[in-house]
Amino acid sequence: MKDLDREDTSAVRRMLDRIDPIGYLLTEGFHLLALFAIGGATVWAATKAFLEMTARGHATIEDLLLLFIYLEIGSMVGIYFRTNHMPVRFLLYVGITALTRHMIGYVQMESVPDVGILILAGATLILSLAVLTIRYASARFFSRASDGMDAE
């Protein structure tokens, strides 16, 4: 009975040895396709936003912050493409910039600031503290596996 189990295990192992390269190829192909799609969509959206600013003849601070968001997303895609690590700090930077952009629009629209401003400011503070924590942890507890890219 044990010999039969070993033969079954061996057959499964041989089958996996043949299938694994195909799975790896499909996974990497999807990975590259998705990165190019995200990168292309980011360039397209940034170009569209820039052309709209040009057509208006001026740019607001919200417009500039939107371009910074696109810049950070493009940087994230480039780093992920080169290193296969997702830099969490960049996601936090995008969040901070988006909250700041939203806060500026909120202040411009509301005549009297209310608790919404405090919520946005608090969320921005929390994300800023998260960046500080990640930077401190990556400097203090450096891992060769992450190559200092804050991938955790």
Side-chain angles (χ1 to χ4, degrees):
M1 184 73 171
K2 287 190 176 201
D3 289 335
L4 187 57
D5 288 341
R6 285 185 192 152
E7 288 177 18
D8 289 344
T9 305
S10 176
V12 169
R13 199 170 283 136
R14 282 193 309 270
M15 181 178 67
L16 288 175
D17 286 344
R18 290 183 199 151
I19 294 174
D20 277 347
I22 296 168
Y24 179 79
L25 177 68
L26 291 174
T27 303
E28 286 300 309
F30 176 76
H31 176 246
L32 290 174
L33 181 65
L35 283 174
F36 278 112
I38 293 168
T42 302
V43 169
W44 178 29
T47 302
K48 183 178 181 291
F50 184 77
L51 291 175
E52 288 172 359
M53 282 180 255
T54 306
R56 276 195 322 261
H58 69 282
T60 64
I61 188 72
E62 288 176 293
D63 294 332
L64 297 175
L65 289 172
L66 182 61
L67 291 178
F68 271 108
I69 290 171
Y70 290 137
L71 176 66
E72 291 297 329
I73 291 171
S75 297
M76 261 186 350
V77 169
I79 289 171
Y80 192 67
F81 184 77
R82 288 188 316 240
T83 66
N84 236 11
H85 292 284
M86 176 59 70
V88 175
R89 274 189 303 140
F90 282 63
L91 288 171
L92 295 173
Y93 294 150
V94 167
I96 290 168
T97 308
L99 284 171
T100 303
R101 182 175 183 265
H102 187 64
M103 194 174 350
I104 289 170
Y106 189 84
V107 167
Q108 289 175 349
M109 297 299 272
E110 295 293 322
S111 59
V112 178
D114 61 0
V115 78
I117 291 295
L118 292 176
I119 292 170
L120 290 171
T124 304
L125 177 64
I126 290 169
L127 289 179
S128 299
L129 291 173
V131 169
L132 180 67
T133 303
I134 289 172
R135 292 203 52 153
Y136 174 77
S138 66
R140 179 99 166 108
F141 308 106
F142 180 75
S143 168
R144 288 199 181 267
S146 70
D147 290 332
M149 292 304 302
D150 303 329
E152 277 74 57

